[in-house]
Amino acid sequence: MSTVPGRILNLRPHESPNSTRLYKPLDLDILSSMVGKDVQILGTKKCNNTKKALRFFSDRGIKTHFRDLSEKPPSPGEGKNLASLLGPENLIDPESREFLEKGYQYREYDPLEEILENWRLIRTPLVRYGKHASAGYKPEEWLAWLKKEGLNG
């Protein structure tokens, strides 16, 4: 990689110098301040607990990244990752409309398999921050994360 004032040129080994790609320079101070600071919230726009979670973090000045599950459900890999962090049975919301209407309380099922097939069974909001994750509205747990990281909680 070679540098030109104000630009970074990326020369790949298989490309000739005439086929360079230009990238904007990165401000390393801004980049280092962003690492690990975003809280990812997965939920739906209609979910009151998701709205409360977004408000919880915004009131504390913590940047959030919200993803509406109704527009983009979790991928199978993401579902497995969340299940490994929280346990698949903790991701299922036994009070959700989908859970009650489909009669899950009366039958045996594999929680991970059901979550991957039907995202409406997931307890929202799903909140991730670094290596931490939670399912449902849990402000006490989030405060503990923030205090552990030394952020204003």
Side-chain angles (χ1 to χ4, degrees):
M1 190 180 315
S2 63
T3 59
V4 174
R7 295 193 248 198
I8 296 175
L9 299 175
N10 186 13
L11 295 175
R12 297 192 175 127
H14 63 279
E15 294 178 342
S16 68
N18 295 335
S19 64
T20 60
R21 296 183 183 196
L22 299 178
Y23 295 94
K24 291 183 180 178
L26 296 174
D27 185 345
L28 295 180
D29 293 332
I30 292 174
L31 186 62
S32 64
S33 69
M34 290 169 44
V35 174
K37 301 293 185 200
D38 281 1
V39 173
Q40 184 181 25
I41 300 177
L42 287 79
T44 60
K45 293 176 185 172
K46 295 180 181 181
C47 173
N48 287 330
N49 284 338
T50 301
K51 290 176 189 176
K52 289 193 290 187
L54 288 166
R55 177 76 186 255
F56 174 88
F57 289 106
S58 69
D59 285 351
R60 286 157 180 79
I62 307 295
K63 216 166 39 167
T64 59
H65 173 76
F66 172 69
R67 190 170 92 208
D68 192 344
L69 292 174
S70 62
E71 294 173 7
K72 187 176 179 198
S75 68
E78 189 175 24
K80 289 176 185 174
N81 184 19
L82 287 167
S84 69
L85 283 171
L86 298 169
E89 60 282 343
N90 294 328
L91 290 176
I92 299 274
D93 185 3
E95 298 172 7
S96 69
R97 183 185 322 163
E98 192 79 11
F99 186 89
L100 298 172
E101 285 179 358
K102 303 272 179 160
Y104 282 96
Q105 67 270 32
Y106 302 116
R107 61 177 163 154
E108 290 186 25
Y109 59 92
D110 178 23
L112 179 58
E113 188 177 307
E114 295 299 325
I115 287 169
L116 294 176
E117 288 179 16
N118 188 355
W119 65 267
R120 288 180 182 88
L121 292 171
I122 295 176
R123 179 177 302 169
T124 57
L126 291 174
V127 180
R128 286 195 289 194
Y129 179 72
K131 294 181 181 180
H132 307 288
S134 71
Y137 182 70
K138 298 182 178 176
E140 297 83 18
E141 190 173 332
W142 304 332
L143 276 174
W145 298 350
L146 298 177
K147 287 180 182 174
K148 186 176 181 181
E149 296 291 327
L151 297 173
N152 53 345

